[in-house]
Amino acid sequence: MPDANDRLTYRDIKADIMARIQNRRWGPDQVLPAEVELAASYGCARATVNRALTELTDEGILERRRKAGTRVRAAPLRAARFEIPIVRRQIEEAGAVYDYRLISRAECRADAEPRLGGVFAAGEPLLHLHCLHLADDRPFQFENRFISLAALPQARDAAFDHLGPNEWLVSAVPYSEVEVSFLALGAEAPVTTQLGVEPGQALFCMERTTWWEGRTLTNVRLFHLPGYRMTTRY
Amino acid sequence: MPDANDRLTYRDIKADIMARIQNRRWGPDQVLPAEVELAASYGCARATVNRALTELTDEGILERRRKAGTRVRAAPLRAARFEIPIVRRQIEEAGAVYDYRLISRAECRADAEPRLGGVFAAGEPLLHLHCLHLADDRPFQFENRFISLAALPQARDAAFDHLGPNEWLVSAVPYSEVEVSFLALGAEAPVTTQLGVEPGQALFCMERTTWWEGRTLTNVRLFHLPGYRMTTRY
DNA sequence: ATTGGTAATATGTCTAGACATAATGAGGCA
DNA sequence: TGCCTCATTATGTCTAGACATATTACCAAT
């Protein structure tokens, strides 16, 4: 139990400010007192108030401008944090047994599918993998991945029959720039057979493209079972 | 151009640490020097290093434990920030003209649809709205919303024929707890006719539930046109 | 009325030092 | 060997004060 005599922490202050906003003591667009005043009223240093306000700003609750002050955001264009899950971890955390299966492996060129044109350099050689991730022996996620063989020639020597491409990439590739998208796609072969769903069934799909020094390394589409959803609270 | 004689900022330090991780001078799982040592090597105060490390931890790059130290995350289970868009703003920022249309408005009970059972209290009276958001007179987003009349009786007096429910709620309801989900759904009536898509077409859907002091205020499903995606980079 | 310059001001960031707290690992004991 | 205790240690947070910087508001000149 926190001692009532304890000093206020920046968390206390954050919570207090949040409460005042929630019960509308500080309404939308209202300018709140300056940091020095808040610090005085809370009986703490300005840096402590600053940390609370800065975090609330990062979370999209407040809006700050030098000289103009701090105000409550009218339209809470709040940004939500979503954990980008690693499928193995996701399955194991649910208490299921993770299994991985390589479905197909082939080399192709970047013009094999029209959508690859906007992702890889034209005509670039690619490794094309289809993989299945299973939870307790049941299909959980289908992976459709392309790896640039121009950027990652070592991928030619990787079998990917037991180690999934994601895990291989984590160990082979430095931290890099990533773009993640969520989208809905109708199921087509080979997803239908692998996940055991009807053609056209709406599937939640996560697409991820990874770059390193301006070159596209890999693009992957992860197809989930019907009913899958990504959730976050705030 | 930043003066080379200037002190290092926490941003400089963040960037430097990030660069060392990217070029693998500090590899996965490696423990980095303690804050005091880093501060000494960067020639700045510990608080500055602390801020850099704390932010990198928030971003999922590092992992910190007291006494154990700071290490590079092996599997970068990075969390991505997604801006939760306000449809009006979204359309206007794309340079289009926003328009809103109320399609239907009815009262019902929380057992009207089975999925509402997990969201609202059993049998609770609800206001059920169908709305269409248009960009340049073309359907852009279909909204299927339920508002608790037990928690928000004022909603009965709101017409919602010109002001959308989201905008009404922002002005009527205090900041509250929110759960956001992304999912894929096959199109069914009335979404099909309103958005002009084929039945079964895969649609990207955002579902949002809002609480206040433990009571469910509203639940909404926002259906987007085929091809819609939510994207973020990091 | 419009423009341009300037002082005032709130936030942004850094420093140096202090104490709090969680977690580890070593040593002692059963 | 295995378990408990405790000192050590790295991070977590706060303070008081300082300077930097963006932005506003006001005043003067056009």
Side-chain angles (χ1 to χ4, degrees), chain B residues 112-128:
Chain B
E113 289 184 35
R115 72 172 186 88
L116 296 176
V119 178
F120 291 97
E124 192 177 3
L126 302 177
L127 187 63
H128 184 190

Side-chain angles (χ1 to χ4, degrees), chain A residues 11-12 16 18 21 43 52 57 102 116 149 154-155 164 177 202 208 211 216-217 225:
Chain A
R11 287 167 197 279
D12 297 331
D16 183 71
M18 202 57 205
I21 292 171
T57 305
L102 177 65
L116 296 177
L149 287 169
Q154 324 91 289
E177 221 198 317
R208 193 164 23 173
W211 293 270
T216 308
L217 301 182
L225 289 175

Side-chain angles (χ1 to χ4, degrees), chain A residues 96-140:
Chain A
V97 176
Y98 171 76
D99 198 11
Y100 163 80
R101 220 168 279 162
L102 177 65
I103 304 299
S104 76
R105 184 202 149 103
E107 296 196 17
C108 68
R109 302 243 153 215
D111 27 36
E113 289 185 34
R115 72 172 185 91
L116 296 177
V119 177
F120 291 98
E124 193 177 0
L126 302 177
L127 188 63
H128 185 191
L129 302 171
H130 284 160
C131 317
L132 191 62
H133 302 272
L134 301 104
D136 284 340
D137 284 323
R138 294 196 312 197
F140 178 82

Side-chain angles (χ1 to χ4, degrees), chain A residues 9-11 45 48 65-67:
Chain A
T9 70
Y10 79 95
R11 287 167 197 279
T48 307
R65 276 194 347 272
R66 279 167 160 143
K67 163 83 185 183

Side-chain angles (χ1 to χ4, degrees), chain B residues 17-141:
Chain B
I17 291 171
M18 202 57 205
R20 293 202 207 196
I21 292 171
Q22 287 189 333
N23 66 26
R24 299 245 161 168
R25 279 197 53 198
W26 288 332
D29 268 330
Q30 186 171 338
V31 176
L32 15 155
E35 287 187 356
V36 271
E37 299 167 50
L38 286 173
S41 75
Y42 285 120
C44 67
R46 183 166 81 94
T48 307
V49 172
N50 180 277
R51 178 154 184 193
L53 294 176
T54 302
E55 291 197 1
L56 287 169
T57 304
D58 287 344
E59 291 163 25
I61 311 293
L62 299 175
E63 206 177 353
R64 318 191 76 192
R65 276 197 343 275
R66 278 165 159 145
K67 163 82 186 179
T70 304
R71 63 179 58 226
V72 180
R73 278 204 113 105
L77 67 70
R78 293 159 76 161
R81 283 172 63 96
F82 286 86
E83 299 267 319
I84 306 298
I86 314 275
V87 59
R88 156 172 251 133
R89 186 184 303 230
Q90 194 180 5
I91 288 172
E92 285 171 351
E93 274 176 7
V97 176
Y98 171 76
D99 198 11
Y100 162 81
R101 221 169 276 163
L102 176 65
I103 304 300
S104 76
R105 183 204 151 102
E107 296 196 18
C108 68
R109 302 241 154 219
D111 27 38
E113 289 184 35
R115 72 172 186 88
L116 296 176
V119 178
F120 291 97
E124 192 177 3
L126 302 177
L127 187 63
H128 184 190
L129 302 171
H130 285 160
C131 317
L132 191 61
H133 302 272
L134 302 104
D136 282 342
D137 285 321
R138 295 195 312 200
F140 178 82
Q141 185 187 87

